[in-house]
Structures are given as structure tokens and as C-alpha cells.
Amino acid sequence: MPVFGLAALWNGSARAERVRELVEGLGALLPSPKPPGIVVALREAEATLEVKLEVPSYPRTALEELTQQVEESGGTLVELWRLPKASRDAFRKDSLTGPDTHQLEDFEAAAIVLHGHLQQLAVREPVPEGPPPGPASVPIDFFAQGNKAAATPAPAEPPKAATPEVAAEPAPAQETAQESSRAYETFDTQRLGRRFAVKLDMVFRTELDFVREHATNISNGGLFVRTAHRPPVDSVVTVQVKLPNGERLQGDALVVHVVDDPYKGGVGLAFLNDDPTFAETLDRYLASLASSPAS
């Protein structure tokens, strides 16, 4: 079952009582078949709560409600699974480690620890003017502009903030046979990422289907699969991708986009795997594509 990592950050500007109420109610807002992993890290000027939620599909409605509640309490919510692995690891190192870090068994205990620390921060001067910023992550609905972005030339100077790009089906373009076999890259004003045109053998599984298909492009965030079997958005599938060097990528992926077209239709999948081996295998493959003469 896939795991969605979430983190909430607060500082001295937070409403401590509201934070306590929010955290105590997380069990009802985010029901999970298994007890979630809960970590609370207390630092000199901030407090961070991490929750690893194991659920069968993406809980979009619940997370929209949680985002609103965290903001109303004076905090910032970060969906860790949407960060590049390097950024996710850096965030955990900076915000979720240290001598005052606690692994807790229930939300009630987490609420008590957070409440006490935030009350202490609230009386320290100077009080922050707003919540702590979180790392930038990929908007879950960015596929609405995916094809438009694919047709946009790369700017001379890419934006500074880099986030992973889940691969989307490229827009049709007139090109020579030689050009069509080359890896391509696209950028837009909000994300910096590189997508490579590929043809990779793969299978994906749902509760009802076992489908053999081809991935038509791939990035560090996910891939696009041209297929007539199109699971709904927010569902989770298990993918196994065979790479040309014989290695395999295997893990869970979230359906974030569905293209209903009789010829070019398919699904955009965002990788959910937090395993270092998965990330290292993917990084090696993308690096080989980037360094190849055709790229």
C-alpha cells in the first residue's frame, strides 16, 4: 500500500491551542488502515510534525481540508512525496532531526508536545510575522498545462526554484525522423525539469488489471504511459519499468492525469517510491540519457 509523507511546520506566530485541536483530530481526518508514522521535531524557533500516511489512494479531499486547517492555525503544510528526493532528504535533515525529536504512537501525544513548545515560542521576542516557509513542491494539478508546457521553448535562463516534473505526453510537433528519436527537454515558469522521450517496456497493475504497455517519456518525477487502460485520477498503481541496461524500476505511482484520446491517450503517473535504491536507479538512467549524444 502506498505511503504519502506529510509535514506541517509552525513557529512562534502559530495559534498553539488551534494546533493542538488540529493534531488531536488528525486520526478522524486522515483515517488509515495502519497506524501512521508520527514524528515531532522541536527546534529553537520552529516545530515540525511529520506523518507517514498509508492509504490505498490519494486522499485529495482530506488533504485540501488539512491544508486549510494548518494555514488557519498559522502553519505550513508540505506534501513530502511531491518533493525531489534530494530536497525531501534535505528537508528531513534540517527540520526532522536533532536532539529534541520524538517518534510518537498517537496524535494525542503529538498534540501535547507541539502545544507546549509553541506556547514557549509565542512569548519569545521577536514574534515572527507569519508561518515558516516550506520547500516548493510540484502542484498536483500541473498536468492541466502539461501539453502547453511541452510545446514551449526552453527559456535562456531557467527559473531558480527547481522541482521535479512528472512526465506528460508531449504535444505533437513536426520533426524529422532523426529529431523524433532524440531526447527532449521542456521547461515552464513554475518548474524546472527534464523529460526524455523514450520507449520503455513496462507493466502496471491495478486491483482489476495487469497491463503491458510502453512508457513514452520519463522524468525524475514520473512517466507517461500510452494505454487504453486508464485508471482514474488519484488512484494508485504498481509499476515495473524495464530499463535498457537491464535494471528495473518497481514501485507505486499515483495517477495524476488521464488523456482520453483514441490514438494518443494514456495516463501520467507520479512516482511515490521513497526507497533510495529506486531513486538511485532512476537518477543513473536519467543521467545516461542526458549525457548521450542524442540528448
Side-chain angles (χ1 to χ4, degrees):
M1 191 174 295
V3 177
F4 295 90
L6 312 171
L9 299 82
W10 294 277
N11 57 22
S13 69
R15 300 165 57 191
E17 292 295 335
R18 183 69 188 91
V19 172
R20 180 170 182 169
E21 294 173 2
L22 184 161
V23 176
E24 287 177 341
L26 285 180
L29 180 62
L30 302 172
S32 174
K34 294 184 179 180
I38 303 172
V39 175
V40 171
L42 308 179
R43 301 184 309 288
E44 183 177 354
E46 294 181 5
T48 304
L49 168 70
E50 180 184 27
V51 178
K52 293 183 178 179
L53 187 66
E54 189 170 347
V55 290
S57 62
Y58 180 65
R60 180 186 296 270
T61 301
L63 290 183
E64 289 174 350
E65 174 65 21
L66 177 59
T67 299
Q68 181 178 347
Q69 291 187 19
V70 170
E71 291 176 352
E72 290 174 351
S73 71
T76 301
L77 184 71
V78 180
E79 295 188 50
L80 296 175
W81 68 271
R82 287 165 50 190
L83 299 178
K85 188 175 189 311
S87 299
R88 186 165 60 244
D89 290 346
F91 173 82
R92 284 178 171 148
K93 181 179 179 180
D94 293 341
S95 301
L96 288 162
T97 59
D100 207 356
T101 300
H102 311 267
Q103 294 189 1
L104 303 171
E105 295 184 356
D106 56 64
F107 289 120
E108 288 75 12
I112 293 172
V113 174
L114 287 166
H115 178 259
H117 187 63
L118 292 174
Q119 280 189 317
Q120 295 178 23
L121 295 183
V123 298
R124 295 182 185 175
E125 297 290 345
V127 176
E129 295 183 358
S137 58
V138 177
I140 193 63
D141 59 351
F142 78 86
F143 265 120
Q145 300 175 347
N147 288 344
K148 179 179 178 181
T152 303
E157 294 184 5
K160 295 181 180 180
T163 55
E165 179 172 311
V166 182
E169 181 71 352
Q174 293 182 351
E175 55 189 0
T176 66
Q178 181 180 6
E179 289 173 334
S180 65
S181 65
R182 295 172 58 187
Y184 67 92
E185 57 185 316
T186 60
F187 299 90
D188 69 20
T189 57
Q190 295 181 339
R191 306 178 306 281
L192 171 60
R194 190 167 186 179
R195 300 193 293 232
F196 295 93
V198 294
K199 187 176 181 181
L200 299 174
D201 293 333
M202 66 165 295
V203 298
F204 70 85
R205 298 180 179 86
T206 67
E207 293 182 356
L208 301 177
D209 295 311
F210 177 88
V211 183
R212 294 185 182 275
E213 297 289 1
H214 291 96
T216 59
N217 67 59
I218 191 169
S219 75
N220 65 347
L223 45 78
F224 186 90
V225 184
R226 188 171 295 172
T227 177
H229 299 270
R230 300 163 193 165
V233 169
D234 291 347
S235 59
V236 175
V237 300
T238 300
V239 299
Q240 184 179 97
V241 183
K242 183 179 179 181
L243 302 179
N245 61 6
E247 293 185 293
R248 294 179 183 271
L249 293 170
Q250 182 170 346
D252 293 323
L254 178 69
V255 179
V256 292
H257 183 55
V258 175
V259 176
D260 287 321
D261 182 278
Y263 303 105
K264 294 183 177 293
V267 291
L269 304 176
F271 295 133
L272 295 176
N273 203 313
D274 199 24
D275 177 54
T277 301
F278 181 96
E280 291 167 3
T281 301
L282 178 59
D283 287 346
R284 280 196 303 271
Y285 176 58
L286 295 178
S288 70
L289 292 176
S291 62
S292 66
S295 65

